[in-house]
Amino acid sequence: MVHHHRASLLLQHNNQQQQLRKQVDEEQQAEEQEGAGKTMKELRCRIVDYACHHRKKHGHDALLLMLGGFAFFSCLLLLLPSSPFSAAMDELLQLGRNNRCDQEQARSDPPCAAVADGTVCCDRTAERTDVCVMRGDIRTQAKSNSLFLLRPANSSSSGRAADERIRPYTRKWESSIMSTIDELRLRTVSEDSSSSVPTPARCDVQHEVPAVVFSTGGYTGNVYHEFNDGIIPLYITARRYNKKVVFVMLEYHDWWMTKYGHIVEQLSDYPPVDFSGDNRTHCFREAVVGLRIHDELAIDASRMMPPGSIADFRQMLDDAHRGRVQVIIDEEAEAAKNSSSSNSKTKKPADDEDEDKPRLVIVSRNGSRAIENEAELARAAAGAGFRVELLQPRPDTELAQMYRVLNGSDVMVGVHGAAMTHFLFMRPGSVFIQVVPLGTDWAAENYYGEPARRLGLRYMPYKILPAESSLYRRYPRNDPVLTDPVAVNAKGWQVTKKVYLDGQNVRLDMPRFRRRLREAYAHWAAQRRRQHSKPL
């Protein structure tokens, strides 16, 4: 119900916006006939831009007020084109120009973008994360979970000693998970001040580059959260340093570095610091504590400095895994060579016709949300003209191996869940078919569908019908679980998780699903024709 209500409001706002533009256009024509077209046109643009900007925040009431105000000023300009009102209008337009410049400057300079030496600035304005920036003589102290900013005894810096607290993880609205994240104290003290916790007297390790401090705790272990809450925010935060940065990790995990070490090496030229496990005093001149995050599996290019996008992130993933993927290929070739030389029966060469077919990868799930007729799906995909590969990721599956398989695929098929995060490994222009179980429409679209489109994939959701769900065999036909998932989801996350995420498998209606396979094949064929038609 909530999502339907939001959709109707959006449609209503769009209709009002169209009416506003139509009326403004009509009044502009009238003004041009009276000789005041230039001024009116600029005002029209200003008001429409303002309406667009504030539509989401203020709703239809603000639009009606602005429309009324516009009509009033239109009459003034029509009747008194050379009156003092015209001069006032010019001032209003100039004010709009100045405000727009100020807004653009604000967008490019987030809070704490400029921090004076010897100070700490904390940006707590975002819903998802807090970020603090420190500059000066910064020293770590693991035993007290502190970062100290020391001011000289004769420092002229104003203000009292600061004591900020921060949990450097990107889900600050979730109190339950944030309570598991280690809290850091950021203490600004004078060198001659007395403190219950003595400040580090000397530096054991002096770093010449800044630090970025973050936690690898929280939901770490779930690939979606590892990328959404960690890897992508780390890229957003650290890219500006061009690898001249040290990563200081709270709740350090060796397995995390084993899994993501190739990516970390693309973002930093220096070994990371295990904050809790390293009792040495590390000293920096600058530290960013916490990571910036934009949206679900997304990068907002307008907020990046220097400029960057999700396509640049995807290129970074390519660079990170290229070397290891080549090693895997060489090892397999060597193993195949040794196997063929010791075997009397040589492997039959691959059929050239099969090699020319597009490659479709089925990401298999065990347990909940599994495809019960997966073998039938594989046969249908082969019948549609694909080379089919079944990918069954395990917790210990090497990330480079996953990257190799999906980067070389043309189509990925899988049921909504964390493993769909691997669409990030696909080449732009590839096809992503997400099977959407009952009750997961919103999450499937927002967490994977829209991000996949931003990456340049051809996203094809397949929303199952009630008869394709295992819930169809457990509930009466008129039960809200089958007929009204929105109402069931409104009961809370725990209900959604129990009913739709943990308690549901799918059995695809193959005649219906084959339409998606045909669409995917047609997309691949069209892409191929375009590539072949390009001049050399």
Side-chain angles (χ1 to χ4, degrees), residues 28-296:
Q28 181 199 356
Q29 294 175 4
E31 288 298 325
E32 289 173 346
Q33 293 174 0
E34 295 293 329
K38 182 176 180 180
T39 302
M40 200 61 203
K41 183 177 180 180
E42 187 170 4
L43 178 60
R44 176 180 71 98
C45 294
R46 190 73 59 203
I47 292 178
V48 171
D49 285 348
Y50 184 84
C52 291
H53 179 71
H54 289 272
R55 180 183 64 189
K56 183 176 179 181
K57 181 176 180 181
H58 300 293
H60 60 278
D61 291 338
L63 288 174
L64 293 175
L65 286 172
M66 285 183 284
L67 183 58
F70 175 78
F72 171 74
F73 282 114
S74 298
C75 292
L76 289 177
L77 286 172
L78 281 169
L79 298 174
L80 303 167
S82 59
S83 72
F85 286 105
S86 297
M89 190 60 64
D90 288 339
E91 292 179 6
L92 176 62
L93 294 175
Q94 184 60 43
L95 178 62
R97 295 187 191 99
N98 294 337
N99 286 342
R100 175 173 292 182
C101 292
D102 292 342
Q103 291 168 3
E104 290 175 353
Q105 182 69 18
R107 283 196 295 270
S108 63
D109 294 334
C112 299
V115 179
D117 193 60
T119 60
V120 178
C121 175
C122 288
D123 176 9
R124 304 187 188 275
T125 62
E127 176 187 2
R128 295 170 179 258
T129 187
D130 291 335
V131 177
C132 295
V133 181
M134 310 173 70
R135 287 206 174 94
D137 184 355
I138 303 164
R139 305 185 184 188
T140 65
Q141 190 179 78
K143 66 180 181 181
S144 65
N145 258 29
S146 299
L147 291 179
F148 285 93
L149 177 59
L150 272 64
R151 289 175 177 166
N154 58 352
S155 173
S156 60
S157 299
S158 60
R160 63 180 178 82
D163 189 351
E164 298 282 358
R165 296 171 184 262
I166 182 172
R167 299 180 190 270
Y169 190 61
T170 56
R171 301 188 78 82
K172 80 173 191 181
W173 75 94
E174 289 193 49
S175 57
S176 59
I177 198 65
M178 291 300 290
S179 66
T180 70
I181 304 299
D182 289 348
E183 184 180 68
L184 275 178
R185 295 183 67 179
L186 313 182
R187 300 174 171 183
T188 304
V189 297
S190 176
E191 288 181 339
D192 61 351
S193 67
S194 60
S195 173
S196 58
V197 180
T199 60
R202 61 184 178 84
C203 296
D204 298 317
V205 184
Q206 181 69 57
H207 298 274
E208 302 301 324
V209 299
V212 169
V213 186
F214 64 99
S215 172
T216 54
Y219 288 120
T220 297
N222 176 295
V223 68
Y224 166 79
H225 289 288
E226 287 168 6
F227 272 91
N228 186 71
D229 304 340
I231 297 297
I232 294 179
L234 185 61
Y235 175 85
I236 291 170
T237 307
R239 189 172 186 268
R240 64 183 300 174
Y241 296 110
N242 195 27
K243 303 178 70 172
K244 305 305 177 186
V245 62
V246 172
F247 295 146
V248 179
M249 301 182 185
L250 277 67
E251 296 149 278
Y252 180 97
H253 301 286
D254 287 330
W255 69 262
W256 190 92
M257 277 302 300
T258 299
K259 185 174 184 179
Y260 294 111
H262 294 306
I263 295 176
V264 170
E265 289 171 358
Q266 291 296 312
L267 299 176
S268 172
D269 285 334
Y270 302 86
V273 174
D274 176 1
F275 182 84
S276 301
D278 189 342
N279 288 318
R280 295 176 299 172
T281 297
H282 292 262
C283 296
F284 302 90
R285 294 298 303 172
E286 177 182 338
V288 177
V289 186
L291 301 178
R292 301 192 183 277
I293 182 172
H294 293 166
D295 204 345
E296 307 299 332

Side-chain angles (χ1 to χ4, degrees), residues 295-363:
D295 204 345
E296 307 299 332
L297 297 177
I299 294 174
D300 182 350
S302 68
R303 297 162 65 183
M304 289 293 289
M305 188 60 67
S309 67
I310 193 65
D312 297 310
F313 176 79
R314 176 63 175 71
Q315 181 61 53
M316 185 272 292
L317 293 181
D318 259 349
D319 296 338
H321 293 99
R322 185 179 296 109
R324 178 57 187 158
V325 167
Q326 188 58 52
V327 169
I328 294 173
I329 293 172
D330 293 342
E331 290 174 347
E332 290 179 353
E334 184 65 23
K337 179 181 177 181
N338 295 335
S339 176
S340 62
S341 62
S342 62
N343 229 328
S344 56
K345 293 184 178 180
T346 59
K347 184 179 178 181
K348 183 180 179 181
D351 192 311
D352 289 341
E353 184 177 341
D354 286 342
E355 289 293 326
D356 200 41
K357 292 179 179 179
R359 187 178 180 186
L360 181 143
V361 175
I362 301 171
V363 180

